[in-house]
Amino acid sequence: IGKTAQQYQNQAKMLFRKLSDQSPTRCSIETGPYVFHYLIDSGVCFMALCEKTFSKRLAFGYLNDLQTEFIKLYGSEVRIVSRPYCFIEFETFLLKTKKSYLDTRSHRNLNQLNEDLHDVQRIMLQNIDDILQRGEQLSVLDDKASHLSMHSQKYKKDAKYLNLRSTYAKYAVIGFIFFLVVIYLRFWWW
């Protein structure tokens, strides 16, 4: 069973009461099949109730338009207002702006959607470029690893050769000394 408009209105009033200076300045709160989007600026909270399927970017675009116009018209009066509904004349701008955002054929919405698509396209191109750069870096790293492996094999082979030469040199010295002792004994003692 869905909520009535009065129940959502009461929920919005409750949200207004719970908002404080520590509340996020932009937020979306789900409530059933709808979402409350709000924007706080200069002590004024701008709120919209939208279907979940409605674009979040368009909802915040709508709130930004309301905020810009309201602050421009009434920004200095907000702190000194004493009676409710002081800004009721703002409703005409609010309804006109709401209508332009709800009209999906609206040129403005199409431009906004095109901007969204261009943003997505730009992000995807950037991601593809990043992946290609990583691929190139991996290719360079693979080449370096191959060269390192080849050089380590060569080093291992050279180390074995040097160890063998060192061993031969040690035995050659021992053999030469033995040869000298034999010659000395042969010619001097015999």
Side-chain angles (χ1 to χ4, degrees):
I1 297 175
K3 294 181 180 180
T4 64
Q6 184 65 39
Q7 288 172 318
Y8 286 114
Q9 189 175 15
N10 290 337
Q11 205 171 19
K13 288 178 184 178
M14 184 181 67
L15 277 172
F16 280 127
R17 283 192 293 270
K18 288 188 177 185
L19 293 174
S20 68
D21 292 338
Q22 287 76 32
S23 298
T25 57
R26 293 171 59 110
C27 191
S28 299
I29 301 168
E30 288 189 26
T31 173
Y34 297 100
V35 178
F36 280 107
H37 300 286
Y38 74 82
L39 171 78
I40 300 174
D41 183 33
S42 303
V44 180
C45 181
F46 303 90
M47 185 179 288
L49 178 66
C50 305
E51 293 177 350
K52 278 186 182 178
T53 57
F54 192 75
S55 167
K56 194 176 196 178
R57 181 170 258 183
L58 283 176
F60 279 108
Y62 169 70
L63 293 174
N64 281 328
D65 286 351
L66 293 181
Q67 175 259 340
T68 302
E69 185 68 17
F70 187 85
I71 297 299
K72 183 170 70 174
L73 295 174
Y74 307 109
S76 61
E77 299 175 35
V78 170
R79 300 260 182 233
I80 57 173
V81 171
S82 60
R83 62 184 177 92
Y85 307 108
C86 184
F87 305 112
I88 196 74
E89 64 269 8
F90 188 69
E91 186 176 12
T92 55
F93 177 80
L94 192 124
L95 292 173
K96 184 176 77 170
T97 307
K98 177 182 171 185
K99 184 178 179 186
S100 76
Y101 272 87
L102 289 177
D103 183 7
T104 56
R105 295 165 295 171
S106 167
H107 180 67
R108 175 192 204 159
N109 287 345
L110 290 176
N111 285 342
Q112 182 70 35
L113 289 174
N114 280 334
E115 285 178 28
D116 291 349
L117 288 173
H118 287 297
D119 286 347
V120 169
Q121 182 182 20
R122 183 184 48 77
I123 290 168
M124 290 183 72
L125 286 173
Q126 181 64 38
N127 289 343
I128 290 170
D129 286 344
D130 290 346
I131 289 170
L132 290 175
Q133 286 177 357
R134 284 186 201 131
E136 289 174 8
Q137 290 172 349
L138 287 175
S139 175
V140 168
L141 187 61
D142 186 41
D143 290 344
K144 287 180 180 179
S146 296
H147 289 319
L148 183 62
S149 176
M150 185 178 68
H151 287 299
S152 69
Q153 300 251 338
K154 186 177 183 268
Y155 176 76
K156 183 178 176 183
K157 182 181 171 186
D158 289 347
K160 280 184 179 180
Y161 175 73
L162 288 174
N163 281 338
L164 189 62
R165 281 192 64 187
S166 172
T167 304
Y168 287 156
K170 288 177 191 175
Y171 288 133
V173 169
I174 293 171
F176 182 70
I177 292 173
F178 181 71
F179 177 71
L180 287 176
V181 169
V182 169
I183 290 181
Y184 176 73
L185 289 174
R186 169 91 165 111
F187 289 109
W188 298 94
W189 290 94
W190 303 71

